[in-house]
Amino acid sequence: FTFGKNRMNSNYFGEQTFVLGKITASVGISGNYNSMFDSHICWGSNVGYALSSQNRMYANINKSMRLPTFTDMYYKSATQLANSNLQPEESTTIELGNKAQYAAFAYRASLYYRVGKNIIDWAKKENEEVWISRNIANVNAIGIETSVQYAFKQILNHIEVSYAFCHLNKKSGEYISKYALDYLRHSFSISIEHRIYKNLGANWQFTTQNRSG
């Protein structure tokens, strides 16, 4: 090795759950101390309401962050130049959802919106040749996730159909992004699980995806 670097990382967290009739709520807080980036606090809250014993609505909000990796900060090649002054990226996500199970039938659906700030990305201006790691992009995402499953009692154990959609809105000024908008826009899958003989079974996954970026 010709180069070396180290940093100490410590995490701590606490959570409290409250139950009041059909309402369940929880709040949590987590902290991170890093010898290179000092301290950061993240938090989260969740509220659920039981429409019935089989059906539940929920809403949650949470804040998270991601530290730059050593690759983000120190990697260097003919076409890439890392930035040692990167700062952690942050995001806040709000989610609303519903999930239910009626005998052999189960489904879940959720809608989320995420606001990302100081997203770490490799970027360059149009007339530049070298990609540089930067805190440039503010990326907002909106999406849905849903699935339906039916369980059988014969040779076919269950079949599940799921779909996810995501749309990103990025603001990075005059810079061209390399990775921030590389994401799955549509994802549709079918999962089939069945028994072959006694405890031997198989699971089949059929997936089609549309990637942007």
Side-chain angles (χ1 to χ4, degrees), residues 124-130 176:
K124 67 177 183 177
K125 295 181 180 179
E126 189 173 356
N127 60 344
E128 295 177 338
E129 295 184 0
V130 178
I176 301 171

Side-chain angles (χ1 to χ4, degrees), residues 2 27-28 33 36-37 47 49 51 68-69 72 89 107 112 123 129 163 170 189 198 206:
T2 56
V27 292
Y33 171 77
M36 293 179 66
F37 298 100
V47 177
Y49 180 78
L51 299 173
T69 65
D72 295 328
E89 63 179 49
Y107 82 89
Y112 65 87
E129 295 184 0
Y163 171 73
K170 180 180 72 70
S189 65
K198 292 186 177 180
F206 303 91

Side-chain angles (χ1 to χ4, degrees), residues 7 36-40 65-69 72-73 83-90 117-121 133-136:
R7 60 190 187 190
M36 293 179 66
F37 298 100
D38 295 324
S39 296
H40 291 82
M65 68 96 164
R66 183 176 78 87
L67 296 176
T69 65
D72 295 328
M73 300 179 68
N83 176 9
S84 61
N85 295 317
L86 289 175
Q87 295 300 309
E89 63 179 49
E90 299 179 349
K117 296 182 179 180
N118 293 326
I119 301 301
I120 300 169
D121 195 14
S133 58
R134 312 174 191 261
N135 288 108
I136 60 159

Side-chain angles (χ1 to χ4, degrees), residues 123-169:
K124 67 177 183 177
K125 295 181 180 179
E126 189 173 356
N127 60 344
E128 295 177 338
E129 295 184 0
V130 178
W131 296 91
I132 301 176
S133 58
R134 312 174 191 261
N135 288 108
I136 60 159
N138 291 340
V139 179
N140 298 338
I142 186 170
I144 60 172
E145 296 178 349
T146 182
S147 70
V148 177
Q149 182 184 101
Y150 191 84
F152 299 86
K153 296 182 179 181
Q154 304 301 321
I155 295 179
L156 184 63
N157 293 342
H158 76 257
I159 181 170
E160 181 178 9
V161 179
S162 61
Y163 171 73
F165 166 79
C166 180
H167 172 72
L168 293 189
N169 179 25

Side-chain angles (χ1 to χ4, degrees), residues 40-53:
H40 291 82
I41 300 295
C42 296
W43 46 266
S45 178
N46 175 278
V47 177
Y49 180 78
L51 299 173
S52 67
S53 59

